[in-house]
Amino acid sequence: MLLLVPTPAPATARRWRVGGAAPCVRCSSLRELERSPSPRPGARLPPLREAKRVVLVRHGQSTWNAEGRIQGSSDISVLTPKGESQAETSRLMLLSDSFDACFTSPLARSRRTAEIIWADRNEDLIPDSDLREIDLYSFQGLLKNEGKERYGVLYRQWQKNAANFSIDGHYPVQELWDRAQNCWERILAHEGKSVLVVAHNAVNQALVATSLGLGTEYFRILLQSNCGASVLDFTPRTGGPPSVCLNRLNQTPNSPVASGSSGGRKTSKRIILVCQGATQDSAEISLTGLGYAPLNMLGMIQSQKTAELLLDQKVNGILCSPQVAAVDTATTICEVQEAADCLGADCVPRYVEMKKLLELEIDDAFQTKQKSFGEIAQSSWLGSMEYKTLQGLWAQSKDAWQALLNELPDDTSTDTTLVIVAHPGVHLALICRCLDLTMEHMSSFHLDDGSISVIDFPDGPKGRGAVRCTNYTAHLGRWSIPITRTTETDEEF
């Protein structure tokens, strides 16, 4: 139930609404604990002696990408001029990183992308045949409409149930997952602390998924765009496989909110998770609590930059935490949205509804650092106050995620974009809810202040969400955290 809260109407006639009843944290927590645990992230990875960062990059646009032709592991297509330009943008984005090695698919479109990014570095490229694109056998070389006409039901299975798709006696996605697991053995065995991997859409999806312990059902869920970069951090653990954190997913040369498909499918429903801007240090805040901490100067800049990124995106609604920093960030986005169509002298401002949702609140204990999530979620001290607080956040996120889905209409004929503004910790939980993971997986993702993450729903709100990107910060310009920040200077998550 949503309760109307009367407020003085500003010039833009904006109204605030507050989401109502708080969830029964205790009951929800008990239900969540009854779930069977998901595979532990990194459980099948080899042990490490020291921390390692791996940056995955998909090749630039190819001639067959442009034609809409099914490539698979064929080696006929080459980079288009646009693809070469995308690779050059990626080179500049990664220029300051001191990579120790570059693994690449042997296929021409990937190898050429690697050559552009690697440029004048002294080390040789390391080709690995297991990094080739997914083997699609008889489908390879066909235009997509030809695949539909020639193969009918089989092509529909490839589109709707790829994990169990079989062709010419093979299960392509299952074979791909096995190859990706083999690749990690060689990539993580390399002595370098920072490794670049240049490959393809499907194989990069498989590399991300297998590192996190996710199965073939996650194919087309963790998207990879042309020259999109994904960053994985591996931290040694005593007597076992490393811990894994997806620092960011699919940071692209172009805007992540630009119109387009999700995994090759059209989508009309989208949720954009916006992390509130940076706040004043806790030492500067009164005893009223960190929930009242306003944005600092950096946070104000981050909010404005995010509003500008979303300027060309028609936002249908904004939901935010009732805490001050989230409200201030949401207000900035709303004001820019309402002014977007108001460039003429006789314009009428566009109304964007804003709601404060109580389920998006976060406890003061988690306001300062994300470090607690990883430590507490993996802790065996289940009775600790910190663990109970995290359980409360996790239970609350279930209600929050359902509330967000309820805001998306089932009608597929109209585009709907919702912006959700909250603390990074809340969004970590929401991403795990979207992916149907457990509370323990919250430490497998990282989000920075001012970042955005995008979730598309090609099958509508009742279908699975496809994560287009996480922790995108390129829009922050000089105020962003470099994509290849070294692990030595990272704050531990």
Side-chain angles (χ1 to χ4, degrees):
M1 178 179 177
L2 294 173
L3 305 176
L4 289 175
V5 177
T7 57
T12 53
R14 186 187 305 117
R15 291 174 297 155
W16 286 87
R17 292 202 292 170
V18 178
C24 175
V25 171
R26 182 174 181 273
C27 295
S28 299
S29 297
L30 290 174
R31 286 194 298 269
E32 289 301 317
L33 290 175
E34 292 172 358
R35 292 181 54 183
S36 57
S38 299
R40 187 186 221 181
R44 295 183 60 192
L45 298 176
L48 292 180
R49 288 181 295 179
E50 56 185 355
K52 189 184 296 286
R53 169 163 284 187
V54 178
V55 178
L56 309 176
V57 178
R58 182 189 174 188
H59 64 78
Q61 185 196 58
S62 71
T63 49
W64 281 18
N65 283 152
E67 294 172 16
R69 197 175 292 275
I70 301 171
Q71 295 183 109
S73 57
S74 63
D75 199 12
I76 299 173
S77 65
V78 296
L79 293 188
T80 63
K82 179 179 179 180
E84 298 254 347
S85 176
Q86 289 172 329
E88 174 62 18
T89 301
S90 293
R91 184 186 74 83
L92 295 174
M93 183 170 65
L94 302 171
L95 190 60
S96 62
D97 191 273
S98 54
F99 288 114
D100 299 305
C102 177
F103 287 77
T104 180
S105 159
L107 303 185
R109 57 193 184 271
S110 176
R111 186 175 181 89
R112 177 56 183 152
T113 302
E115 289 170 348
I116 293 173
I117 296 174
W118 204 238
D120 299 326
R121 299 174 194 258
N122 295 327
E123 296 81 3
D124 292 334
L125 299 174
I126 305 173
D128 190 322
S129 62
D130 278 345
L131 287 173
R132 71 186 184 277
E133 184 57 300
I134 186 172
D135 299 315
L136 287 176
Y137 305 99
S138 295
F139 276 7
Q140 293 180 175
L142 297 176
L143 292 169
K144 292 176 181 178
N145 64 322
E146 292 175 340
K148 294 177 184 177
E149 294 170 1
R150 192 174 302 183
Y151 288 92
V153 173
L154 190 62
Y155 188 84
R156 283 195 293 275
Q157 186 191 21
W158 163 241
Q159 289 293 307
K160 297 291 187 181
N161 187 19
N164 298 308
F165 165 70
S166 173
I167 185 172
D168 299 337
H170 295 270
Y171 289 85
V173 177
Q174 295 178 24
E175 292 174 352
L176 178 68
W177 249 242
D178 290 339
R179 277 203 275 126
Q181 196 67 55
N182 292 336
C183 284
W184 280 125
E185 295 285 340
R186 294 184 289 278
I187 294 169
L188 296 180
H190 193 279
E191 60 186 11
K193 292 183 179 181
S194 182
V195 177
L196 175 66
V197 177
V198 183
H200 306 267
N201 176 15
V203 72
N204 281 8
Q205 289 185 50
L207 286 169
V208 172
T210 52
S211 73
L212 297 175
L214 307 180
T216 54
E217 67 273 17
Y218 285 87
F219 183 63
R220 295 200 186 104
I221 297 299
L222 303 165
L223 303 187
Q224 301 286 312
S225 305
N226 287 124
C227 277
S230 301
V231 181
L232 287 154
D233 289 324
F234 300 85
T235 306
R237 269 198 299 225
T238 304
S243 62
V244 186
C245 178
L246 180 61
N247 184 280
R248 65 190 69 224
L249 174 76
N250 200 28
Q251 180 124 339
T252 54
N254 56 305
S255 169
V257 297
S259 60
S261 62
S262 281
R265 303 168 60 203
K266 288 186 176 181
T267 181
S268 63
K269 302 293 179 286
R270 171 174 289 178
I271 286 177
I272 301 176
L273 304 178
V274 174
C275 289
Q276 65 191 41
T279 60
Q280 293 182 17
D281 186 87
S282 58
E284 304 173 24
I285 306 304
S286 69
L287 295 177
T288 52
L290 287 169
Y292 294 89
L295 298 175
N296 60 19
M297 184 58 68
L298 175 59
M300 294 178 188
I301 293 172
Q302 290 169 333
S303 298
Q304 186 63 39
K305 290 289 184 181
T306 300
E308 292 171 5
L309 175 70
L310 300 176
L311 185 60
D312 296 328
Q313 183 90 16
K314 186 175 180 180
V315 174
N316 300 94
I318 301 175
L319 290 86
C320 71
S321 161
Q323 290 161 313
V324 172
V327 172
D328 289 348
T329 302
T331 300
T332 301
I333 296 170
C334 186
E335 288 174 348
V336 171
Q337 280 288 313
E338 291 179 334
D341 297 333
C342 196
L343 301 179
D346 56 350
C347 71
V348 177
R350 179 160 60 89
Y351 170 68
V352 179
E353 185 179 40
M354 300 174 64
K355 298 178 184 177
K356 297 178 185 177
L357 193 65
L358 294 177
E359 287 84 354
L360 295 175
E361 280 189 316
I362 190 168
D363 192 276
D364 283 355
F366 297 130
Q367 285 274 18
T368 52
K369 287 187 177 181
Q370 295 182 29
K371 180 178 179 181
S372 301
F373 292 115
E375 293 178 347
I376 297 171
Q378 300 296 340
S379 172
S380 59
W381 190 18
L382 302 184
S384 70
M385 183 61 67
E386 291 86 357
Y387 192 88
K388 290 180 180 178
T389 305
L390 182 58
Q391 280 184 314
L393 171 63
W394 179 245
Q396 184 175 300
S397 70
K398 181 178 183 180
D399 297 277
W401 182 244
Q402 188 57 54
L404 302 186
L405 295 180
N406 291 342
E407 292 287 330
L408 293 173
D410 291 330
D411 179 15
T412 57
S413 63
T414 57
D415 292 343
T416 303
T417 298
L418 296 180
V419 170
I420 316 303
V421 185
H423 184 275
V426 174
H427 288 329
L428 289 172
L430 293 178
I431 289 171
C432 288
R433 289 292 180 184
C434 171
L435 296 175
D436 196 26
L437 300 176
T438 64
M439 183 179 77
E440 286 68 28
H441 282 80
M442 287 177 63
S443 60
S444 301
F445 301 88
H446 177 83
L447 297 175
D448 292 306
D449 291 334
S451 69
I452 73 163
S453 302
V454 180
I455 302 172
D456 288 339
F457 296 86
D459 294 317
K462 293 181 181 178
R464 295 187 72 187
V467 182
R468 176 177 287 272
C469 70
T470 64
N471 202 30
Y472 183 90
T473 57
H475 63 290
L476 301 178
R478 62 183 292 187
W479 294 277
S480 66
I481 295 175
I483 185 174
T484 53
R485 174 182 53 184
T486 61
T487 52
E488 284 82 357
T489 58
D490 262 348
E491 288 185 3
E492 283 194 2
F493 181 66

